[in-house]
Amino acid sequence: MQFSKGRVRGGGDGSGPSDGHHEARGPAPTDMPGDVPFDDPWYDALASGWGEAGTVAVPVPAARQGQKPEQDDDLAAAEVYLEVQRSPAFQEVRSRYRRFVVPATVAFFLWYVAYVVAATAAPGLMARPVVGAVNVGLLAGLGQFLSTFLLTWAYARHARLRRDRAALELRWDTQELTRGARGGAA
């Protein structure tokens, strides 16, 4: 049995859509201190394809049906986002992102594949002792961890130095343009 906005979904007798995915969604409205209703819109909507056969139609809230001005505002806001996406500043931020991520991903992937191939194709090399019980394979495996941490640090540093300020400025500009497109209310 599922409680949502004060309503009971599924009769608890197996006739409702309660198939295990919806159990333990939260306390019933009467279980909360002070009998506060449990109004959470996320408990009303099922994830796509969860718990019910066929497609799930997403209802349009009654407050938004037949409102032309708000639709015009939404279209104007969408145009703002498309305009920002086409802007040279946005393209530069995306370009900086790609110039770091693509080579870093390729390099890290090649390093990982080289480690796996060496471990399977050259076990003698990987078993060669370096110092005491420490061998090449162990050092290469620890190098995988080290390279992960170094790549994370390099990515965060690159983002902080090369992209964050420009992306934040784009965000503020977009919010201001959207607010203006919607007539001052955002």
Side-chain angles (χ1 to χ4, degrees), residues 121-169:
L125 171 71
M126 298 300 265
R128 183 175 295 158
V130 176
V131 175
V134 178
N135 60 19
V136 173
L138 181 62
L139 289 178
L142 292 173
Q144 290 288 314
F145 285 103
L146 179 64
S147 64
T148 302
F149 293 125
L150 286 175
L151 185 60
T152 303
W153 169 81
Y155 176 81
R157 182 175 185 272
H158 181 268
R160 186 182 73 246
L161 295 177
R162 314 248 182 204
R163 293 191 324 264
D164 285 352
R165 181 166 293 147
L168 187 59
E169 288 173 8

Side-chain angles (χ1 to χ4, degrees), residues 1-4 7-19 22-23 52:
M1 186 176 310
Q2 176 186 356
F3 291 93
S4 178
R7 299 183 310 269
V8 178
R9 229 188 242 172
D13 58 355
S15 64
S18 181
D19 65 346
H22 308 294
E23 302 297 319
E52 296 179 308

Side-chain angles (χ1 to χ4, degrees), residues 3-119:
F3 291 93
S4 178
K5 292 193 177 192
R7 299 183 310 269
V8 178
R9 229 188 242 172
D13 58 355
S15 64
S18 181
D19 65 346
H21 290 291
H22 308 294
E23 302 297 319
R25 286 264 185 156
T30 56
D31 295 340
M32 297 190 68
D35 291 333
V36 176
F38 190 68
D39 280 343
D40 189 351
W42 292 105
Y43 288 124
D44 248 4
L46 294 173
S48 175
W50 277 52
E52 296 179 308
T55 60
V56 178
V58 179
V60 177
R64 292 192 49 106
Q65 290 176 352
Q67 287 189 354
K68 283 288 189 189
E70 219 172 275
Q71 289 175 348
D72 292 340
D73 290 347
D74 289 344
L75 288 175
E79 286 298 320
V80 167
Y81 283 101
L82 288 174
E83 179 183 329
V84 169
Q85 185 179 9
R86 292 182 201 114
S87 72
F90 182 84
Q91 296 303 321
E92 180 62 26
V93 170
R94 294 299 297 167
S95 175
R96 289 178 185 176
Y97 171 78
R98 287 187 195 110
R99 280 194 306 249
F100 179 84
V101 169
V102 170
T105 301
V106 168
F108 187 78
F109 182 73
L110 289 174
W111 160 232
Y112 175 74
V113 168
Y115 171 69
V116 171
V117 167

